[in-house]
């Protein structure tokens, strides 16, 4: 199974809502990532988890809260978002963190988030 | 952190070979070069990776000169379904930050 799944596919939320994005992989990968992608822009790294520990936080506002309950699951908890946070949120996993040989990142299909 | 530079867009026709070049002048000794493809509203997909010389798989070839300051992704005989954005990334195993550059938007026409 070389698939990364993400739920939900689409999410519309108000600025006062609390919601969560979920990501799952069963490839035994020990690194998982959250990216944010605005229209016609490249993906921007938000968080990196390595062996279930947060190893990189790219100065992301605290209204985004990542969680890695176990090696297969990655969540992104959302609270008090702004309309400018509307974007495609991508989850990825790789055997270990970083680039390097044979360490390709497998991306999920993303969650299209709209904040009203 | 090796920065990459690619052409913003390229146009081609079905059946032609497309070569997309990526510049990475400050690539480090331990860095590998990886290319991803992304279709609209989908996550990027790994295409090919290399360190030096030439790498070929079932979908593409990657050419890397001896100085490794650039690389060229070659797509043989493109089809309409190859219309996508192509990203070149540079990084090593211990380097946790992978930075996507602006990418190259390839449009294949009939």
């Amino acid at each position: 199974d070389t698939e990364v799944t993400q739920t939900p596919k689409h999410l519309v939320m108000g600025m006062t809502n609390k919601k969560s994005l979920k990501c799952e992989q069963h490839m035994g990968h020990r690194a998982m990532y959250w990216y944010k992608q605005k229209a016609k822009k490249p993906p921007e790294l938000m968080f990196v988890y390595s062996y279930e520990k947060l190893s990189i936080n790219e100065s992301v506002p605290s209204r985004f809260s990542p969680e890695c309950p176990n090696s297969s699951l990655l969540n992104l908890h959302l609270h008090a978002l702004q309309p400018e946070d509307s974007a495609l949120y991508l989850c990825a996993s790789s055997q270990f963190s970083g680039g390097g040989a044979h360490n390709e990142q497998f991306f999920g299909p993303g969650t299209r988030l709209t904040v009203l | 952190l090796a920065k990459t530079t690619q052409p913003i867009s390229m146009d081609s026709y079905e059946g032609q070979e497309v070569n997309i070049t990526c510049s990475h002048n400050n690539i480090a000794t331990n860095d590998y070069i990886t290319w991803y493809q992304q279709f609209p509203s989908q996550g990027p997909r790994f295409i090919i990776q290399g360190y030096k010389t030439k790498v070929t798989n079932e979908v593409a070839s990657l050419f890397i000169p001896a100085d490794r300051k650039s690389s060229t992704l070659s797509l043989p005989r493109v089809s309409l379904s190859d219309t996508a954005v192509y990203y070149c990334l540079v990084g090593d195993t211990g380097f946790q930050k992978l930075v996507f550059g602006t990418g190259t938007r390839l449009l294949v026409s009939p």
Side-chain angles (χ1 to χ4, degrees):
Chain A
D1 182 5
T2 58
E3 189 180 20
V4 175
T5 58
Q6 290 187 244
T7 55
K9 191 174 178 66
H10 300 277
L11 178 62
V12 179
M13 59 186 290
M15 289 189 285
T16 59
N17 292 157
K18 284 186 179 181
K19 297 287 184 183
S20 296
L21 309 184
K22 296 185 184 299
C23 174
E24 192 166 0
Q25 58 88 14
H26 295 287
M27 294 176 277
H29 290 171
R30 303 316 300 266
M32 297 187 77
Y33 311 77
W34 280 115
Y35 290 85
K36 173 183 176 180
Q37 185 173 30
K38 304 282 275 184
K40 297 192 184 301
K41 296 292 187 182
E44 293 178 29
L45 183 65
M46 299 175 72
F47 302 104
V48 179
Y49 271 84
S50 181
Y51 291 86
E52 300 157 52
K53 293 189 188 309
L54 183 64
S55 60
I56 289 184
N57 176 340
E58 287 289 277
S59 301
V60 178
S62 59
R63 57 184 184 270
F64 295 91
S65 176
E67 178 196 20
C68 190
N70 59 55
S71 60
S72 299
L73 293 174
L74 187 66
N75 298 322
L76 186 63
H77 303 298
L78 314 173
H79 174 56
L81 294 193
Q82 304 297 310
E84 58 264 29
D85 296 321
S86 298
L88 181 68
Y89 287 84
L90 295 162
C91 173
S93 71
S94 63
Q95 188 175 354
F96 35 81
S97 59
H102 312 301
N103 194 38
E104 63 185 272
Q105 291 191 21
F106 290 79
F107 283 81
T111 294
R112 176 71 61 188
L113 174 67
T114 302
V115 182
L116 301 177
Chain B
L1 185 64
K3 182 181 176 182
T4 60
T5 303
Q6 303 173 233
I8 293 174
S9 64
M10 295 182 68
D11 294 319
S12 183
Y13 293 96
E14 284 190 291
Q16 290 191 333
E17 179 184 74
V18 171
N19 296 309
I20 306 174
T21 297
C22 178
S23 173
H24 28 80
N25 289 318
N26 58 341
I27 189 170
T29 303
N30 294 332
D31 285 345
Y32 281 75
I33 301 153
T34 310
W35 286 79
Y36 284 83
Q37 174 193 56
Q38 187 177 25
F39 299 112
S41 296
Q42 293 186 28
R45 184 181 68 147
F46 172 87
I47 300 174
I48 198 166
Q49 183 184 70
Y51 183 80
K52 62 180 179 180
T53 62
K54 177 183 174 182
V55 179
T56 297
N57 62 22
E58 62 276 8
V59 297
S61 294
L62 179 59
F63 298 91
I64 306 169
D67 67 5
R68 304 201 326 123
K69 293 184 184 298
S70 66
S71 58
T72 299
L73 174 71
S74 181
L75 305 172
R77 297 178 300 281
V78 294
S79 64
L80 297 177
S81 62
D82 292 315
T83 293
V85 179
Y86 293 82
Y87 294 101
C88 165
L89 286 83
V90 173
D92 73 3
T93 305
F95 194 48
Q96 294 191 322
K97 288 187 181 183
L98 279 184
V99 178
F100 283 80
T102 54
T104 298
R105 197 169 296 272
L106 174 66
L107 175 62
V108 180
S109 301

